[in-house]
Amino acid sequence: MSLEGLPKPENLHIDFEAPQTDWMETPTTFRSGTFSFPAAPKNIKYMGMANPREWSPTEEDWKLPDNWRQIILDGLKERLEKFRSFRLFMDICVRCGACADKCHFFLGGGDPKNMPVLRAELLRSVYRKDYTLAGKILGRMVGARDLDLKVLKEWFYYFYQCTECRRCSLYCPYGIDTAEITMIGRELLNLVGLNINWVQEPVANCFRTGNHLGIPPHGLIDMWEFCVDDIENVTGIRVDLPVNRKGAEILMVTPSGDYFADPGTYTFMGYLMLFHELGLDYTWSTYASEGGNFGLFTSHETIKRLNAKIYAEAKRLGVKWILGGECGHMWRVIHQYMDTMNGPADFLEVPKSPFTGTVFENARSSKMVHITEFTSDLIKHGKLNLDPSRNDKVIATYHDSCNTARAAGLLDEPRYVIKAVCNNFYEMPENTIREETFCCGGGAGLGNDENIEMRMRGGFPRANAVNYVRDEHGVNRLLCMCAIDRATLTALMHYWAPDVEVGGIHELVANALIMKGEDERKTDLRGEPLPGMEDMEEEEDV
């Protein structure tokens, strides 16, 4: 991820001065570094979506269908009738502003249209014009306006400057879910082919090959075997790698970011080591090789199509239940959309740990358990032999990923695991963690190079909290359990806190795990000497 061209952090100006013009009259300027590139036509075609063509947001002509306005208004009408919550959100906002200073993009940039209340108003004003009596009669006097090209460009710019993190919704006295408004806004844009490639390409790849990266089965197995080789170099143990095995008890699904690049690979290696040590009866799949679901950033229909692949594979392989890795939006989809869109997975069993006997009642419907739930249960029942001193070089803090914390309620389990495998752990300020966590600034498909300035601005509140515990406690590792976070927070730390590394939870679990028959451990999974092993490493180098 290139940070070239960005001003130094101390020079990244944040301007909270209000524009001199009314918000309806303030033009949208597509400034380099603050917007994402359009989707490639091939990716739109593959998913059978509308209006594939080459175009640019910075050009005047967006090559829209002649009847684009009617297409969007018809789509708006359909969604108002289909989703009662959406219509409610359009009607009940009193513009109190409780959400205004809760958005990381507003805090990092100062643009009033990134206040959640005003971002939602971009869509609500069009709704008000066509669906309220006051709007039809009084128009702009009551905040109603026609849908024109200026409004459409505004939608594209600002709905793709929202990471759907839902922090604003936490503070709304009426419970308005602004992320759902962004999702509807993006759906309407997709009806006329206004998508971004950092969302559409992973969606097309996942639908075609089963993962966001478009890696075919033989490529996946090669990558996984590299991890097996690395584990053997560290531990002397060649761990099992069950793939596409029918009749296994458990299907393991994790985001492709876990096995594609560091630091995710260390988390993936942690899974392999844990499962081998347990003797877990499980399998990976080259078909359902992606836990992430970028449909969440595209449309409700795409969410459904991509989530169905996991359950189709679980049925084909004949497993009993599903174990999910350190992923963010996979868990929001599973907990908030799965039952409605794909239906209860009645062909699977209620998950039960084969080692502790714990029945995961919270997964009775989805039949899917998060890896930190599984591991914290093992630790609680004394099923793992752990030496947390192996991680004593790590002074850790924990970033609650938006979709596991606010959306799925996974707050205590990751902390329980971290404290069991790491002796040095410090929380960031309480109004920046747990349900109130700040976003990484690059979720919802916004983690691309061309959007780098906006990412660094949006990530500033999170980085500011990291800097606090770094300065107070010497924190040098930011832990998280989301592949998107591991990718975007790495660049964010390079920019705002270059002495803080990023990593996953099960990387530290693997470092602390004392495996039966292992060689004397000299390094951690990153190849760095364990505490007390520095001299031995130097002697070997000599």
Side-chain angles (χ1 to χ4, degrees):
M1 186 63 64
S2 174
L3 298 174
E4 292 183 10
L6 276 178
K8 292 182 179 180
E10 60 270 22
N11 297 327
L12 192 68
H13 179 62
I14 301 174
D15 183 9
F16 287 105
E17 184 176 346
Q20 297 301 307
T21 52
D22 180 84
W23 73 266
M24 286 191 188
E25 300 301 327
T26 304
T28 302
T29 303
F30 287 85
R31 186 168 56 82
S32 178
T34 65
F35 69 94
S36 301
F37 293 160
K42 65 176 183 179
N43 296 320
I44 302 177
K45 287 180 182 177
Y46 190 83
M47 295 302 295
M49 300 178 78
N51 198 22
R53 81 278 185 212
E54 297 285 351
W55 66 285
S56 171
T58 60
E59 295 176 356
E60 187 64 29
D61 183 6
W62 281 18
K63 303 177 183 177
L64 298 167
D66 292 338
N67 62 336
W68 67 265
R69 185 177 183 277
Q70 192 58 49
I71 291 172
I72 290 178
L73 291 177
D74 288 346
L76 177 60
K77 180 176 184 295
E78 177 186 346
R79 284 153 182 79
L80 287 167
E81 294 172 350
K82 185 176 183 180
F83 303 115
R84 288 181 295 174
S85 60
F86 176 48
R87 183 146 200 163
L88 185 68
F89 296 158
M90 289 291 98
D91 283 331
I92 65 174
C93 177
V94 295
R95 297 180 288 288
C96 67
C99 64
D101 61 345
K102 307 306 185 294
C103 177
H104 46 286
F105 284 123
F106 175 66
L107 292 175
D111 187 338
K113 291 182 185 178
N114 270 327
M115 293 190 295
V117 59
L118 187 46
R119 189 188 298 114
E121 197 72 10
L122 305 181
L123 177 54
R124 189 177 284 116
S125 58
V126 174
Y127 159 80
R128 198 175 286 124
K129 176 67 175 179
D130 289 319
Y131 291 95
T132 68
L133 181 61
K136 291 176 180 178
I137 296 173
L138 299 175
R140 289 174 63 100
M141 291 179 61
V142 292
R145 60 178 179 168
D146 289 315
L147 176 62
D148 57 21
L149 192 57
K150 183 182 72 173
V151 171
L152 190 70
K153 292 186 176 184
E154 195 176 49
W155 283 10
F156 181 84
Y157 190 67
Y158 289 101
F159 287 140
Y160 286 108
Q161 278 186 18
C162 170
T163 51
E164 304 177 13
C165 80
R166 303 173 70 245
R167 190 172 192 265
C168 54
S169 303
L170 186 70
Y171 296 91
C172 177
Y174 289 91
I176 296 171
D177 192 337
T178 311
E180 290 283 347
I181 297 174
T182 291
M183 290 171 67
I184 295 294
R186 290 190 180 190
E187 280 199 26
L188 296 176
L189 290 169
N190 270 274
L191 295 178
V192 292
L194 297 179
N195 346 68
I196 64 171
N197 203 57
W198 206 250
V199 169
Q200 201 63 29
E201 184 169 331
V203 164
N205 284 341
C206 192
F207 199 70
R208 184 175 64 254
T209 65
N211 59 79
H212 291 162
L213 305 170
I215 302 170
H218 60 279
L220 287 172
I221 293 174
D222 285 346
M223 294 173 71
W224 295 345
E225 288 180 343
F226 279 130
C227 291
V228 171
D229 292 340
D230 286 346
I231 291 170
E232 187 172 16
N233 290 335
V234 172
T235 67
I237 296 173
R238 188 140 191 106
V239 300
D240 300 324
L241 183 65
V243 180
N244 298 334
R245 184 166 68 85
K246 289 189 174 183
E249 181 176 358
I250 297 166
L251 169 64
M252 176 66 182
V253 180
T254 200
S256 54
D258 278 357
Y259 49 78
F260 175 66
D262 300 342
T265 51
Y266 308 126
T267 300
F268 182 76
M269 291 160 65
Y271 305 148
L272 292 174
M273 293 168 64
L274 174 64
F275 298 159
H276 178 90
E277 180 65 14
L278 291 170
L280 186 68
D281 181 13
Y282 84 107
T283 186
W284 298 96
S285 166
T286 56
Y287 175 76
S289 55
E290 181 61 69
N293 190 324
F294 269 46
L296 191 63
F297 318 134
T298 309
S299 70
H300 288 78
E301 180 59 28
T302 309
I303 296 174
K304 178 179 179 180
R305 292 170 74 181
L306 297 185
N307 190 64
K309 295 173 72 68
I310 296 174
Y311 287 88
E313 184 68 340
K315 192 169 188 176
R316 185 185 75 85
L317 293 176
V319 301
K320 293 181 179 179
W321 54 279
I322 306 169
L323 185 59
E326 294 185 17
C327 183
H329 40 77
M330 172 168 69
W331 291 98
R332 184 167 168 199
V333 169
I334 292 298
H335 283 272
Q336 296 190 343
Y337 299 101
M338 157 65 187
D339 278 356
T340 302
M341 293 181 173
N342 301 102
D346 295 335
F347 57 91
L348 297 173
E349 298 179 7
V350 178
K352 179 180 179 180
S353 172
F355 307 104
T356 68
T358 297
V359 177
F360 296 96
E361 292 289 348
N362 60 305
R364 180 168 291 277
S365 180
S366 69
K367 310 298 192 295
M368 194 169 187
V369 173
H370 192 280
I371 187 67
T372 59
E373 297 176 283
F374 181 73
T375 303
S376 60
D377 178 64
L378 292 170
I379 294 171
K380 179 181 179 181
H381 287 87
K383 299 299 181 180
L384 301 179
N385 189 6
L386 300 169
D387 179 5
S389 70
R390 289 178 173 179
N391 287 313
D392 277 353
K393 288 186 175 181
V394 175
I395 305 173
T397 191
Y398 175 63
H399 164 71
D400 288 275
S401 303
C402 303
N403 287 314
T404 52
R406 270 190 292 272
L410 282 162
L411 303 171
D412 297 319
E413 293 87 350
R415 288 172 168 82
Y416 186 85
V417 175
I418 292 168
K419 291 176 182 178
V421 300
C422 182
N423 290 321
N424 307 300
F425 174 71
Y426 298 94
E427 292 277 17
M428 288 178 276
E430 63 180 20
N431 65 333
T432 73
I433 60 172
R434 299 177 74 89
E435 295 95 335
E436 296 182 78
T437 185
F438 274 113
C439 182
C440 66
L446 307 186
N448 50 62
D449 281 349
E450 66 268 21
N451 192 46
I452 191 67
E453 180 186 327
M454 188 53 62
R455 285 175 50 196
M456 295 304 104
R457 289 184 178 279
F460 169 72
R462 168 45 73 223
N464 195 41
V466 173
N467 280 332
Y468 174 80
V469 289
R470 179 201 62 185
D471 296 342
E472 289 288 316
H473 306 292
V475 163
N476 58 20
R477 182 73 61 86
L478 176 59
L479 300 176
C480 56
M481 57 179 193
C482 169
I484 297 297
D485 283 332
R486 281 192 289 274
T488 58
L489 288 172
T490 298
L492 191 72
M493 292 300 103
H494 282 329
Y495 187 71
W496 290 110
D499 44 356
V500 178
E501 295 182 314
V502 176
I505 295 173
H506 277 75
E507 174 187 346
L508 298 192
V509 172
N511 287 339
L513 183 65
I514 301 175
M515 302 178 71
K516 293 183 288 288
E518 68 177 18
D519 292 343
E520 182 183 15
R521 292 265 199 106
K522 298 177 181 178
T523 70
D524 60 19
L525 291 183
R526 300 190 179 205
E528 298 172 356
L530 291 175
M533 291 292 178
E534 295 85 354
D535 293 340
M536 295 184 66
E537 286 292 302
E538 291 176 4
E539 290 175 8
E540 289 184 2
D541 290 341
V542 173

